[in-house]
């Protein structure tokens, strides 16, 4: 068992790393040439167009005002200064509510920590069990429940505290759920007009030999919603087009790169190889080759676009249907349309920039099968991913390394190295493995066919949490592969499982303290440094950027990745709740994590992140549910632990707790969840009435007609003025920034034409830049 | 273990009893004076007003046509002759679909029985395990899976058959679900106009100091459903009134009784005692006393009615809201109205005669608590009800009786008594206990606050099934109280539970065969005899009936009690599926049950039962779900049994089966369940359009205005013409037969006035009989 010394060293290393990151950030952020990395949000909002300081030439790149370095933690109060309503206005409700999760952690754990340290620590400390047992133990163990002799009456204190902590957590959760629900409703009510308020996505339109999907949809809704139907847009399968455009963009980047290279060194035309990754193949003039490739692709793109619009086979049996009123849309989204419940399925349309267009082309019938397959795949991932981790971890301890590499013995035997290996390495190994996981999980969600980015992220988050629970939490506690766990669980009775895990919990406190420091503290400090975007921005800036506009595109503000950071927070909730009674020593580490993360993410949300979508805090029921799950798990494990401690009188009282907690959850669900999944008619009617009074002559049809056009079809006139495609979509809908355009800030076709003189001339494609 | 001899005797007794019942029925039903007991449906339908044969005076009471006795099973083909569409027309969809459950049993089990007897029986028979083991065994055991030696390859046959049976059952279930769903949709589409199609029940109307509930409801729906809202009716708390009316009716019956007594024997005025149950107290003249009591109650009723209508406190925060179109009602029922999801809750209104008025007065907030309390109460009932049963059963075996009453030994030792005790008694004891259960469960559902009789019955059925599963099925197999079972289950691992039960299953086959004969065969034969209604009718006929109308009221057709008979069927599904592979010998007993029950219930539905409500087969998802549950249970138990038989190669294949079955269930749920819980807008719109074309000048408001009036307020003018109450409800709504009136066929107030001359004169109440 690792001693307090190891913890001390790990803490020192981690605090130092975190400090280094923070200082690096403080220095880097003050350099004007990094301004677009650390303050992109202000550029995107149009509130800043160049770094603030621009005196001498040098100070345009390097900050020479040394006074500003002294106040290097200045950003912290700055980050906290903005009030919540301002924050909602500035960054959206999703971000504001996301921050509340960290605050919720503080609200729950600060009082719990005080109580646990004030009551449980003395109760634990004033025993001699560990001393009498003559086992090696650290001060952390002496402060934990392990130090209480079996059958002691002192366990009543722990039982009582379990109740107090549960009630406190539930109270805070209830308040928070209510607050978030009312924030959401207020936000939705005060929101400005958005196309998704009026629109519904209808899927599984039945095939009809006589009518096209468009006609079918129109007739169906004219008949069944005669007073409310306004307009519809069919969904095209534009996945091939998207691939072509992506390739076009890649080639264009290469062209830019070669052109800049050439302009810097005019003596030699750049050459390239045409083979795989440019490693072999014929040598050609790079600029000419890329130009011709782009030309070919541009032609293909135009052809493919024509094909899509003319070929009825590329129309999916789905459509975005818009209504005259929000009331009509709310009604259509919440009701069943057809007598066959698998046809004419309606659901709220996601915000246009939240739509994950690729998945709209998935036939609805295959969705069930896809979900089943992914469920099985996830099961396999969860149960077999652990094997390599456990293998590496088993090597990465003193004995393991000695066995595998006996020649390293002299190095290992040094006190410092030993502490390092025991206190630091297991956490790092685990973390390295976990870095690749979110991508895999996100891919899984995409295969499942969710049609909005927000739901993709929510699904991935749920999976990530489950994965963490099984592999990191249980896997670290009972140290065995998930498969082995499963095997032993099946052969144990239901009441023995919490016992097995409960007994192991106090012993793993040190490991999790290290984990919190590595993953939580250093991870968060690394988050604010934005090392990857920093490097990529400067690379792009050097190789690709020609105009100010290109520089804007090179900027990658990123966004809150809900699918990775929310499960991370949840894991700390779980650790905190599980160890609150068992080893209260762990709690301050969690509080520091929550505090630091809150400040860091508040800063990032204000200055950096640019959310792709706004779901109106639709993720809160998930957050709430997972904290409740953590509570129940902690209660079950405590029951299991105490039942092995012969605390027979107090254990039965603990069995009531999970029941009460689940009851509380159902109560909250009944009270608040509908606010997150349904849209009350009263609200819809109120907004409709208000709007009708304010803007009686609003041309809603014009507003909605092209709101749900595939982003690749937008700004189509820049390809070809007399294109058939344009005859269909004459009006340009600039009201709604599409996902792509909001990310790149200049939509694709304008780039085709907008890139200045050195770009190849494509007479049939390039006409003029509508934005220039 | 009971031998084949015991089974034979039990079968003989049971077949004889059933035969006696059937013969008795055949004789009794042909007697004209029993006509109203055995053919009430035809009277209620108005197709018959007096017994068919009415020649000589004697033959008005006794059937003297002896030829008709010869064909005493004549009713069976008669019952089968009516086609299903006719049946739906005659008795409603609920009854027709209910019959399909029995048919479903036949469809599933007839092929399974053939296969099991053709394949499994020879496989089991041609072994010598039991003979070699030198245990006592019967032929039934020799035909069961017990006769296969451990580790034998013959278990592959059982595994294969488990697959075949599962696939066959699922196939039949799927077809049936589809058929019932389309029958339901067709039924709803072709149904004539009914108030519930236009109405929605809104509950939890928030209190408002300035407006009454009625005003509030009207304003809310005028604002939020401006184009569709038509009219509403508030809900009164009339429970006190209902109690008064009930008492009034009871007293009136007594009055009738004494009057008839007096008219038969004019020499002596009947006297009665005023005390408890007429056992003690002051002696008074019975007719005078009852008359004055009735007078007093009538006054109280009028006063209470006035009070209810004038006192705003007796108005519940709930209302039936009716819409101009079915579309509007469908929209309102399926959507959320208010931003607070616990206010303005809307749901489909039940049919007026399906409403359980008493529960409408329960405040909505208390419902959650009531449900929790009942859940706990049901748990206790399930786990402690078994104690007395097991106690009695443990006495009721040979050794038990010998021990308790040694003096009975000579009697017990007689072969016949021994067989009787072993083969017959346990079943009867169990059955006796179970007779009281449905009433208790129904009371529980009522306390829970369901507001329609159909949902009350469905809920009770679900509870009854669970109870049967835990106490009858598991309780008989592992013979221990449910509490003991629970204790042992908790201490066993999840995979051991199916083993424990699985091993015991083959040994209990004889017991369940007896149970099927007692509960199934004799029970069903008893059902057709209608002994209780027969006796009550003749008692009433003798003591209370004065006019032809009274005779009509004395008739009690009863109805299909879904809450008791459906769980009974389900229990046979469970037995059949569990024993199909283990002891196929049991299957024919189940087939006989299904066949007999089908014919009997078809006869009863055609000739006797008068359904109170029509839910459009809304119970089918429950039926389907419970059969699936039985399938999964049978698969798990078979897996458990085989895993103890060292059939290691074939067991893993069985684990896949429950997964597949649950998957199948989810598929069915997705495809068909919405047809049972939601009302598609397309259907609503179609019916609306058709109706508008057919009857453009329909006065829908007049039709709906009083549809959801509490039945006690209907026909109110018979109390007092210038009553304030009547000013409010001027028009008499005779379109909708209320629950009470459909049952009694003459509503209460008409009885107050309608009873002829000897009834007391109540000048301020009795005016005239609107029906006479």
């Amino acid at each position: 068992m690792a001693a307090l010394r190891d913890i001390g060293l790990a803490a020192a290393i981690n605090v130092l790393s975190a400090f280094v990151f923070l200082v690096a950030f403080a220095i880097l952020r003050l350099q004007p040439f990094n301004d677009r990395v650390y303050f992109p949000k202000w550029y995107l909002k149009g509130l800043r167009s160049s770094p603030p300081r621009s005196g001498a030439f040098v100070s345009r790149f390097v900050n020479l005002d040394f006074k500003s370095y002294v106040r290097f933690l200045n950003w912290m109060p700055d980050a906290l200064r903005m009030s919540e309503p301002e924050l909602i206005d500035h960054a959206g409700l999703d971000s504001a509510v996301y921050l509340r999760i960290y605050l919720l952690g503080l609200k729950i754990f600060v009082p719990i920590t005080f109580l646990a340290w004030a009551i449980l620590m003395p109760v634990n400390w004033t025993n001699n069990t560990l001393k009498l047992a003559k086992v090696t133990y650290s001060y952390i163990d002496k402060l934990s429940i392990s130090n209480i002799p079996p059958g002691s009456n002192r366990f009543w204190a722990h039982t009582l505290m379990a109740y107090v902590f549960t009630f406190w957590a539930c109270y805070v959760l209830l308040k928070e759920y209510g607050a978030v629900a009312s924030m959401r409703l207020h936000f939705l009510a005060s929101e400005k007009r958005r196309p998704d308020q009026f629109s519904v996505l209808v899927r599984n339109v039945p095939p009809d030999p006589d009518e096209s999907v468009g006609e079918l949809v129109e007739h169906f809704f004219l008949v069944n919603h005669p007073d409310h139907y306004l307009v519809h847009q069919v969904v095209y399968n534009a996945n091939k087009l998207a691939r072509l455009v992506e390739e076009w963009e890649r080639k264009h980047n290469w062209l830019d790169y070669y052109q800049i290279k050439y302009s810097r060194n005019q003596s030699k035309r750049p050459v390239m190889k045409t083979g795989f990754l440019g490693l072999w193949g014929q040598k050609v003039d790079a600029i000419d080759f890329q130009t011709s490739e782009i030309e070919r692709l541009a032609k293909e793109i135009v052809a493919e676009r024509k094909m899509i619009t003319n070929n009825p086979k590329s129309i999916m049996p789905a459509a975005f249907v818009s209504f005259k009123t929000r009331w009509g849309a709310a009604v259509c989204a919440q009701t069943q349309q057809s007598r066959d419940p698998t046809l004419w399925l309606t659901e709220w349309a996601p915000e246009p920039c939240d739509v994950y267009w690729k998945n709209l082309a998935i036939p609805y019938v295959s969705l069930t099968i896809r979900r089943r397959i992914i469920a099985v795949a996830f099961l396999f991932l969860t149960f077999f991913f652990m094997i390599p981790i456990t293998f590496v971890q088993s090597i990465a301890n003193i004995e393991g390394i000695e066995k595998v590499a006996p020649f390293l013995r002299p190095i290992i035997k040094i006190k410092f190295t030993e502490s390092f290996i025991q206190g630091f390495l297991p956490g790092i190994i685990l973390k390295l493995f976990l870095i690749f996981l979110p991508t895999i999980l996100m891919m899984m969600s995409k295969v499942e066919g969710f049609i909005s980015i927000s739901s993709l992220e929510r699904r991935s988050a749920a999976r990530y949490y489950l994965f963490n629970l099984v592999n990191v939490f249980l896997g670290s506690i009972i140290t065995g592969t998930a498969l082995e766990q499963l095997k032993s669980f099946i052969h144990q009775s239901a009441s023995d499982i919490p016992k097995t895990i409960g007994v192991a919990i106090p012993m793993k406190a040190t490991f999790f303290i290290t984990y919190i420091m590595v993953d939580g503290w250093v991870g968060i400090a690394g988050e604010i440094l934005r090392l990857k975007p920093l490097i990529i921005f400067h690379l792009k800036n050097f190789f690709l950027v020609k105009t100010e506009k290109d520089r804007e595109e090179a900027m990658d503000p990123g966004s809150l990745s809900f699918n990775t950071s929310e499960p991370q927070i949840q894991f700390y909730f779980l650790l905190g709740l599980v160890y609150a009674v068992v080893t209260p020593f762990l709690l301050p580490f969690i509080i520091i994590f929550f505090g630091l993360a809150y400040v860091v993410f508040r800063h990032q949300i204000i200055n950096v992140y640019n959310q792709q979508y706004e779901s109106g805090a639709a993720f809160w029921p998930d957050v709430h549910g997972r904290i409740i799950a953590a509570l129940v798990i902690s209660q079950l494990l405590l029951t299991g632990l105490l039942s092995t401690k012969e605390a027979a009188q107090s254990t039965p009282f603990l069995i009531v707790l999970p029941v009460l907690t689940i009851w509380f959850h159902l109560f909250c669900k009944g009270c608040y969840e509908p606010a997150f999944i349904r849209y009350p008619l009263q609200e819809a009617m109120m907004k409709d009435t208000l709007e009708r009074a304010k803007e009686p002559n609003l041309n809603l049809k014009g507003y909605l007609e092209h709101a749900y056009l595939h982003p690749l079809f937008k700004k189509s006139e820049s390809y070809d003025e007399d294109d058939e495609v344009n005859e269909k979509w004459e009006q340009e809908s600039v009201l709604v920034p599409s996902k792509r355009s909001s990310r790149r800030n200049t939509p694709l076709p304008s780039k085709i034409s907008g890139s200045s003189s050195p770009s190849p001339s494509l007479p049939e494609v390039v006409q003029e830049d509508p934005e220039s």
Side-chain angles (χ1 to χ4, degrees), chain A residues 93 182-192 194 196-197 326 615-616 675-676 678-680 683 687:
Chain A
L93 186 67
S182 86
M183 275 167 79
R184 176 183 162 90
L185 288 172
H186 181 78
F187 179 78
L188 292 181
S190 62
E191 215 175 23
K192 62 179 198 307
R194 266 172 33 170
D196 53 311
Q197 293 162 348
R326 291 175 182 85
S615 73
F676 291 87
R678 311 184 89 181
Y679 189 50
E683 297 279 308
K687 280 202 92 162

Side-chain angles (χ1 to χ4, degrees), chain A residues 202-225 229 231-234 312 315-321 337-338 343-344:
Chain A
V202 53
R203 303 180 83 176
N204 237 18
V205 177
D208 189 305
D210 303 326
E211 287 185 305
S212 74
V213 172
E215 289 166 334
L216 214 56
V217 168
E218 182 157 10
H219 293 166
F220 186 86
F221 285 93
L222 272 178
V223 167
N224 293 306
H225 295 266
Y229 171 77
V231 73
H232 75 273
Q233 288 150 83
V234 290
I315 296 178
M316 300 302 302
F320 288 97
V321 179
Q337 309 304 315
S338 147
L343 296 180
W344 295 104

Side-chain angles (χ1 to χ4, degrees), chain A residues 244-393:
Chain A
L244 288 173
V245 169
E246 213 174 278
E247 209 183 330
W248 184 93
E249 276 182 16
R250 210 169 43 245
K251 303 261 176 199
H252 212 281
N253 277 342
W254 278 112
L255 178 63
D256 286 350
Y257 166 72
Y258 289 120
Q259 277 171 342
I260 291 176
K261 202 173 171 187
Y262 181 60
S263 67
R264 285 188 191 142
N265 179 8
Q266 299 264 355
S267 63
K268 200 180 108 201
R269 296 274 294 181
V271 287
M272 64 172 286
K273 290 173 182 171
T274 54
F276 177 71
L277 284 178
L279 293 178
W280 53 75
Q282 209 191 336
K283 265 195 185 173
V284 289
D285 181 290
I287 294 177
D288 290 350
F289 177 73
Q290 298 292 1
T291 310
S292 69
E293 280 286 291
I294 287 169
E295 218 165 310
R296 179 182 63 81
L297 282 168
K299 266 183 203 158
E300 271 184 48
I301 288 171
V302 171
E304 174 70 20
R305 280 183 36 144
K306 260 188 200 157
M307 209 282 289
I308 288 173
T309 41
N310 294 330
N311 187 353
K313 275 189 184 160
S314 61
I315 296 178
M316 300 302 302
F320 288 97
V321 179
S322 297
F323 292 84
K324 283 177 196 150
T325 55
R326 291 175 182 85
W327 193 92
V331 159
C332 184
Q334 294 180 46
T335 50
Q336 188 186 335
Q337 309 304 315
S338 147
R339 61 187 290 177
D340 183 341
T342 59
L343 296 180
W344 295 104
L345 292 158
T346 50
E347 56 184 306
W348 274 110
E351 217 190 339
C353 54
D354 188 16
V355 175
Y356 185 72
W357 293 97
K358 211 171 150 190
N359 277 355
L360 278 177
I362 298 174
Y364 191 83
V365 280
S366 76
L367 284 184
T368 339
I369 301 154
R370 278 161 176 263
R371 289 205 180 147
R372 299 273 193 279
I373 292 171
I374 289 298
V376 173
F378 177 67
L379 218 73
F380 271 80
L381 181 73
T382 311
F383 283 103
F384 294 112
F385 192 74
M386 196 59 198
I387 296 171
I389 295 189
T390 322
F391 175 71
V392 176
Q393 272 187 337

Side-chain angles (χ1 to χ4, degrees), chain A residues 296-586:
Chain A
R296 179 182 63 81
L297 282 168
K299 266 183 203 158
E300 271 184 48
I301 288 171
V302 171
E304 174 70 20
R305 280 183 36 144
K306 260 188 200 157
M307 209 282 289
I308 288 173
T309 41
N310 294 330
N311 187 353
K313 275 189 184 160
S314 61
I315 296 178
M316 300 302 302
F320 288 97
V321 179
S322 297
F323 292 84
K324 283 177 196 150
T325 55
R326 291 175 182 85
W327 193 92
V331 159
C332 184
Q334 294 180 46
T335 50
Q336 188 186 335
Q337 309 304 315
S338 147
R339 61 187 290 177
D340 183 341
T342 59
L343 296 180
W344 295 104
L345 292 158
T346 50
E347 56 184 306
W348 274 110
E351 217 190 339
C353 54
D354 188 16
V355 175
Y356 185 72
W357 293 97
K358 211 171 150 190
N359 277 355
L360 278 177
I362 298 174
Y364 191 83
V365 280
S366 76
L367 284 184
T368 339
I369 301 154
R370 278 161 176 263
R371 289 205 180 147
R372 299 273 193 279
I373 292 171
I374 289 298
V376 173
F378 177 67
L379 218 73
F380 271 80
L381 181 73
T382 311
F383 283 103
F384 294 112
F385 192 74
M386 196 59 198
I387 296 171
I389 295 189
T390 322
F391 175 71
V392 176
Q393 272 187 337
S394 71
I395 294 178
N397 61 36
I398 302 291
E399 295 80 23
I401 294 178
E402 274 186 49
K403 219 185 284 171
V404 173
F407 53 88
L408 286 176
R409 191 171 305 173
I411 304 171
I412 294 168
K413 283 296 162 201
I414 300 164
K415 270 259 140 75
F416 176 82
T417 335
E418 198 183 327
S419 299
F420 177 83
I421 289 171
Q422 281 197 336
F424 204 65
L425 215 54
I428 287 190
I429 290 168
L430 200 54
K431 189 67 193 171
L432 275 180
F433 271 100
L434 292 179
I435 280 174
F436 299 101
L437 189 64
T439 324
I440 301 170
L441 292 176
M442 198 68 182
M443 264 165 48
M444 281 185 160
S445 306
K446 282 176 184 168
V447 172
E448 272 190 302
F450 288 102
I451 51 128
S452 67
I453 300 165
S454 53
S455 54
L456 283 172
E457 291 199 344
R458 281 205 296 279
R459 183 67 158 201
S460 297
R463 290 247 161 86
Y464 196 11
Y465 177 71
L466 264 180
F467 185 92
N468 269 346
L469 183 69
V470 172
N471 280 310
V472 184
F473 185 70
L474 294 183
S476 303
I477 285 176
I478 5 179
T479 38
T481 65
L483 203 67
E484 281 168 22
Q485 294 166 33
L486 192 71
K487 218 185 263 169
S488 74
F489 287 164
I490 286 176
H491 290 289
Q492 274 179 326
S493 88
S495 59
D496 282 348
I497 297 171
K499 274 186 205 168
T500 320
I501 306 170
V503 171
I505 279 186
M507 297 188 276
K508 288 288 167 180
T510 4
F511 168 74
F512 282 118
I513 289 175
T514 324
Y515 182 82
I516 294 169
M517 289 189 289
V518 175
D519 178 80
W521 299 6
V522 182
I524 293 295
E527 172 68 37
I528 204 171
L529 194 58
R530 286 172 62 72
L531 216 56
K532 201 179 132 202
L534 179 74
I535 294 166
I536 289 177
F537 172 75
H538 285 299
L539 284 177
K540 274 193 179 169
N541 204 15
F542 188 76
F543 289 116
L544 298 177
V545 169
K546 283 175 294 189
T547 63
E548 196 62 24
K549 199 180 223 158
D550 291 352
R551 183 164 296 124
E552 210 144 275
E553 276 168 41
M555 207 164 65
D556 174 22
S559 59
L560 268 181
S561 45
F562 182 80
N563 55 326
T564 53
S565 31
E566 196 267 350
Q568 190 201 28
I569 315 177
Q570 289 293 346
F571 194 70
Y572 293 112
F573 274 108
L574 178 68
L575 284 184
L577 291 170
V578 166
Y579 279 101
V581 177
V582 176
T583 313
F585 187 80
L586 181 139

Side-chain angles (χ1 to χ4, degrees), chain A residues 703-714:
Chain A
Y703 172 67
L704 291 170
E705 220 163 15
H706 302 302
Y708 282 98
L709 208 55
H710 196 296
L712 292 178
F713 289 112
K714 291 202 172 168

